[in-house]
Amino acid sequence: RPQTAFPELRREKTQSRLPPPPAASTMSEPATDVPPKEGGATADVTKTDKSDYYFFKSTPKELQKQYAPVPLKPGQQLDFTPRAQTLHESTLVKKDEERKKAEAAQKKFENGGGTNLSYSQIRKNAYDFRDKEHEVALEEPDKYDIGQKVVIHGLKKAAKFNDQVAEVLSEIKDGRYPVKIVESKKQLNVKRENLKMYRPVVCKEFVNIKLERGFRCTPELLFKALTDQDMVSKYTQSEAKIEVNEGGGFSLFGGSIHGSFQEASPPSKIVQLWRFKEWPDDHFSTVTLEISSPEYGVTVAKLNQVEVPVHDKFRNRDVPDKVKKGWKEFFFDRIHKVVGFAKVEKSEYSRKKKAKDDEEDED
């Protein structure tokens, strides 16, 4: 609705944000102990009975509502503090409290006690935290070399490129470096002050993950379900690119997971260098998948993933749980439900295998 509509409602809304005026019953006759103003004129003021607040008798009530009276002593010049100034001071206090809270959270974060920072705050400060991972602080160079990796920061109009790792394409021109984003391959011309040297996160804690799952199929079919590009795209419902050969690369979930094949021996073994893009930079774990058939119609996949980092480059310490959950829910369970290879419990094929081994021992 136009602002001219319902002026009485707009006035009430404005007044609701202002401090309440003194009660009318507290107003009394003009004070007699107030000295005259300079020039001989008597101050036309009114003094309350229960406080030292003074008002001009000529001050309208509407104006009194917009000002907070300040206590005065007899003889002092009347003064009123604007409501806008009061709001400004309260805003400064609020901002100071937020700043102290953010500093305390960041200090707790740096000391390894977890974090209460939001994802955007962590991403904003991630590359600053990286500097403290190095025993020797590296100074910013006067100029960047061609091919050197840098980090973009401080962009306002193109803020989505902040904290992205880029590669310098050529020497500086007109105060800007031509760079290419590593992940998206997009090229930009960035000012020198919006670049800083790339320092990878160093992770010193690693864990190993072991999983085992039985499928009602043949080893050849399971090997295909794990390596065929079209099948993986369908049951993960995402983009997948897979080159099944030694040294061939793969990319899953639109690049969220990527790596390369170190060994592909159908239908019994797969060895991969494997990583999430949120992991510490340039760190790959090693995944070994051994496929066997303990009995006809049953295939068992044994997964062993070593050197999984405990935290990612944003210091989130849920990486092992995330990896384990991803293998179970997005690969094994979906092969059961989408591809149709029924799940075989470990107790079932283990019991049969044990009975078979006992028969061989008796013979």
Side-chain angles (χ1 to χ4, degrees):
R1 296 179 181 177
Q3 295 184 358
T4 55
F6 306 105
E8 63 280 359
L9 296 179
R10 201 167 63 251
R11 188 182 305 114
E12 291 179 1
K13 184 176 181 181
T14 303
Q15 294 174 3
S16 65
R17 297 195 297 266
L18 302 173
S25 60
T26 62
M27 306 299 291
S28 64
E29 296 298 326
T32 58
D33 56 348
V34 178
K37 290 183 178 180
E38 295 182 3
T42 302
D44 185 15
V45 301
T46 299
K47 180 181 180 182
T48 62
D49 294 334
K50 298 182 180 181
S51 67
D52 293 331
Y53 292 156
Y54 292 84
F55 294 93
F56 283 109
K57 290 182 64 177
S58 59
T59 303
K61 291 184 178 180
E62 294 296 328
L63 187 58
Q64 291 181 13
K65 293 180 181 180
Q66 300 180 21
Y67 289 83
V70 177
L72 299 174
K73 296 180 180 179
Q76 286 184 328
Q77 184 180 359
L78 296 176
D79 183 24
F80 297 94
T81 302
R83 174 63 174 167
Q85 180 178 343
T86 306
L87 292 174
H88 176 68
E89 292 174 353
S90 64
T91 302
L92 293 179
V93 172
K94 185 177 180 181
K95 287 185 176 180
D96 186 60
E97 292 176 352
E98 292 178 351
R99 178 184 60 78
K100 292 180 179 178
K101 185 177 180 180
E103 289 177 355
Q106 181 173 336
K107 185 176 181 180
K108 180 180 178 182
F109 181 82
E110 294 175 358
N111 293 336
T115 177
N116 294 325
L117 298 177
S118 64
Y119 176 80
S120 60
Q121 288 173 315
I122 294 175
R123 183 172 178 81
K124 180 179 179 181
N125 298 329
Y127 290 97
D128 294 333
F129 294 150
R130 293 178 176 201
D131 300 346
K132 300 180 181 180
E133 293 287 343
H134 298 79
E135 297 179 358
V136 180
L138 302 177
E139 297 182 357
E140 289 292 325
D142 296 333
K143 66 176 183 178
Y144 297 114
D145 299 327
I146 298 175
Q148 184 175 353
K149 287 185 177 181
V150 293
V151 178
I152 301 174
H153 70 97
L155 298 182
K156 295 182 178 180
K157 294 185 178 179
K160 64 180 180 179
F161 297 114
N162 287 337
D163 303 327
Q164 295 287 327
V165 180
E167 184 179 344
V168 177
L169 298 179
S170 62
E171 295 182 355
I172 190 170
K173 297 178 181 178
D174 300 328
R176 295 175 179 267
Y177 276 99
V179 298
K180 180 175 68 174
I181 307 296
V182 173
E183 293 184 2
S184 63
K185 308 300 181 183
K186 186 176 181 61
Q187 297 186 10
L188 303 172
N189 291 322
V190 185
K191 292 181 179 179
R192 171 64 180 82
E193 56 266 26
N194 295 121
L195 297 175
K196 57 184 177 181
M197 191 163 55
Y198 167 72
R199 298 177 175 89
V201 168
V202 177
C203 183
K204 300 179 181 179
E205 299 179 70
F206 305 95
V207 298
N208 298 336
I209 295 175
K210 291 185 178 182
L211 297 173
E212 184 176 332
R213 183 66 66 92
F215 300 86
R216 189 73 66 180
C217 65
T218 62
E220 290 79 9
L221 290 176
L222 181 59
F223 185 91
K224 183 178 180 180
L226 292 170
T227 57
D228 184 78
Q229 179 173 299
D230 294 334
M231 290 185 69
V232 174
S233 286
K234 289 178 181 178
Y235 67 72
T236 59
Q237 299 180 355
S238 62
E239 182 183 2
K241 298 179 181 179
I242 302 175
E243 299 177 6
V244 189
N245 53 67
E246 186 174 348
F250 66 88
S251 174
L252 308 174
F253 300 100
S256 180
I257 298 174
H258 63 275
S260 61
F261 284 88
Q262 299 299 296
E263 181 181 346
S265 304
S268 59
K269 192 174 183 179
I270 300 172
V271 180
Q272 298 173 329
L273 292 180
W274 193 101
R275 65 172 269 113
F276 271 106
K277 68 177 183 179
E278 294 89 0
W279 284 9
D281 303 277
D282 303 327
H283 176 77
F284 287 84
S285 64
T286 301
V287 173
T288 302
L289 267 166
E290 295 182 348
I291 302 173
S292 60
S293 179
E295 61 177 277
Y296 179 77
V298 175
T299 300
V300 177
K302 293 183 179 181
L303 181 142
N304 184 24
Q305 187 166 0
V306 298
E307 293 188 356
V308 177
V310 172
H311 64 78
D312 60 15
K313 61 184 177 182
F314 303 119
R315 299 301 202 292
N316 298 314
R317 300 182 68 88
D318 61 346
V319 172
D321 293 337
K322 184 178 179 181
V323 172
K324 189 179 296 184
K325 182 179 179 181
W327 278 113
K328 291 180 178 180
E329 295 185 0
F330 293 97
F331 288 93
F332 296 161
D333 288 350
R334 292 195 179 185
I335 290 176
H336 295 318
K337 297 176 182 179
V338 180
V339 183
F341 300 160
K343 182 178 180 180
V344 181
E345 297 295 339
K346 183 177 180 179
S347 58
E348 180 180 349
Y349 61 78
S350 297
R351 184 175 61 254
K352 292 182 179 180
K353 182 180 180 182
K354 183 178 180 181
K356 185 177 179 180
D357 293 341
D358 293 340
E359 290 178 0
E360 293 178 355
D361 293 339
E362 291 178 359
D363 295 341

